[in-house]
Amino acid sequence: GAVVSQHPSWVICKSGTSVKIECRSLDFQATTMFWYRQFPKQSLMLMATSNEGSKATYEQGVEKDKFLINHASLTLSTLTVTSAHPEDSSFYICSAKGTGPSVAVTDEQFFGPGTRLTVL
Amino acid sequence: AQKITQTQPGMFVQEKEAVTLDCTYDTSDPSYGLFWYKQPSSGEMIFLIYQGSYDQQNATEGRYSLNFQKARKSANLVISASQLGDSAMYFCACLNTNAGKSTFGDGTTLTVKP
């Protein structure tokens, strides 16, 4: 199947700093990327959906100015957590869907390995 | 709005036995897709199996099969011959074809006992 990478896999930062997480589709063109947040033992909560070259669509309750999403190319999307606080500590997962030889099921989402953010 | 219900927060199964993980869904979208994912303790989401709403036959992938009952709006995952490595959290998800995004259930933690 198609591969999505995420970087970094974990990050620890001080309160008030900004953190950028990258999500890359390695062997297919990601027309749509999704960003999720997951607390321990809980489900994935969709934060936003982004289409290449367009502004991200945020889910209700997600602060656009807090979680900046950029999807500048068909292989890269970034999530920037601005002025991070301890309550932003969580597991952030990106996923992508798109087209390419490695995409067998249309609309299948391919997930990155996740980024564990800890804000001190 | 879509809703996915996984009624089993935790399940135990003996190694080599089969286990069924329940999933019911509620969607108004006439065309949708149902996915199951496995999430081990490492956190990575692993795709297991997919069922399209118009597929006539139940999907199978190796030891995984999906018991799709459209009228009941259920899409249960059956894992045959459980292995210790199957211990993980399992999520059912429904793709809204029109919106292009998926809704996830709360997950079921499966523990395989030796």
Side-chain angles (χ1 to χ4, degrees):
Chain A
V3 180
V4 173
S5 71
Q6 215 172 311
H7 178 80
S9 54
W10 59 269
V11 57
I12 302 173
C13 69
K14 290 183 179 180
S15 185
T17 60
S18 294
V19 175
K20 180 185 281 189
I21 302 170
E22 291 187 351
C23 178
R24 292 180 185 273
S25 59
L26 300 185
D27 53 359
F28 69 103
Q29 296 187 322
T31 50
T32 306
M33 283 187 168
F34 305 89
W35 286 95
Y36 295 87
R37 183 174 182 177
Q38 185 183 30
F39 292 106
K41 303 293 185 185
Q42 293 188 25
S43 186
L44 280 70
M45 183 190 77
L46 180 64
M47 299 173 68
T49 303
S50 73
N51 294 300
E52 184 263 338
S54 303
K55 286 185 178 180
T57 302
Y58 289 80
E59 295 298 304
Q60 196 171 6
V62 178
E63 299 175 58
K64 301 178 185 181
D65 297 331
K66 175 85 176 161
F67 300 100
L68 300 178
I69 292 170
N70 183 280
H71 191 168
S73 77
L74 284 172
T75 58
L76 174 65
S77 175
T78 59
L79 166 67
T80 302
V81 184
T82 61
S83 187
H85 287 96
E87 57 267 28
D88 298 324
S89 298
S90 189
F91 191 58
Y92 292 88
I93 308 176
C94 74
S95 72
K97 64 176 185 176
T99 58
S102 58
V103 178
V105 176
T106 306
D107 286 326
E108 180 182 348
Q109 290 184 55
F110 300 95
F111 285 85
T115 297
R116 197 163 301 280
L117 170 64
T118 302
V119 185
L120 303 176
Chain B
Q2 293 186 121
K3 184 173 171 61
I4 306 297
T5 303
Q6 292 181 253
T7 56
Q8 307 151 315
M11 286 280 286
F12 291 89
V13 65
Q14 207 67 35
E15 192 180 8
K16 299 181 184 177
E17 291 185 352
V19 63
T20 298
L21 306 183
D22 295 341
C23 172
T24 57
Y25 59 93
D26 187 10
T27 179
S28 56
D29 195 352
S31 176
Y32 52 90
L34 297 158
F35 294 83
W36 275 93
Y37 295 91
K38 172 184 178 180
Q39 188 180 41
S41 55
S42 62
E44 185 179 0
M45 293 288 283
I46 302 168
F47 165 73
L48 296 179
I49 197 166
Y50 166 81
Q51 179 87 41
S53 59
Y54 292 114
D55 292 344
Q56 296 295 318
Q57 293 191 329
N58 287 343
T60 60
E61 287 284 349
R63 293 186 299 111
Y64 305 107
S65 60
L66 201 152
N67 185 359
F68 180 47
Q69 298 188 44
K70 195 170 183 178
R72 293 185 178 183
K73 294 193 174 182
S74 75
N76 298 340
L77 176 70
V78 180
I79 304 175
S80 63
S82 297
Q83 302 172 356
L84 295 178
D86 293 335
S87 293
M89 197 151 183
Y90 289 80
F91 290 98
C92 176
C94 181
L95 168 71
N96 181 318
T97 308
N98 285 337
K101 58 186 182 182
S102 296
T103 303
F104 287 79
D106 289 338
T108 296
T109 300
L110 176 67
T111 303
V112 181
K113 293 182 172 181

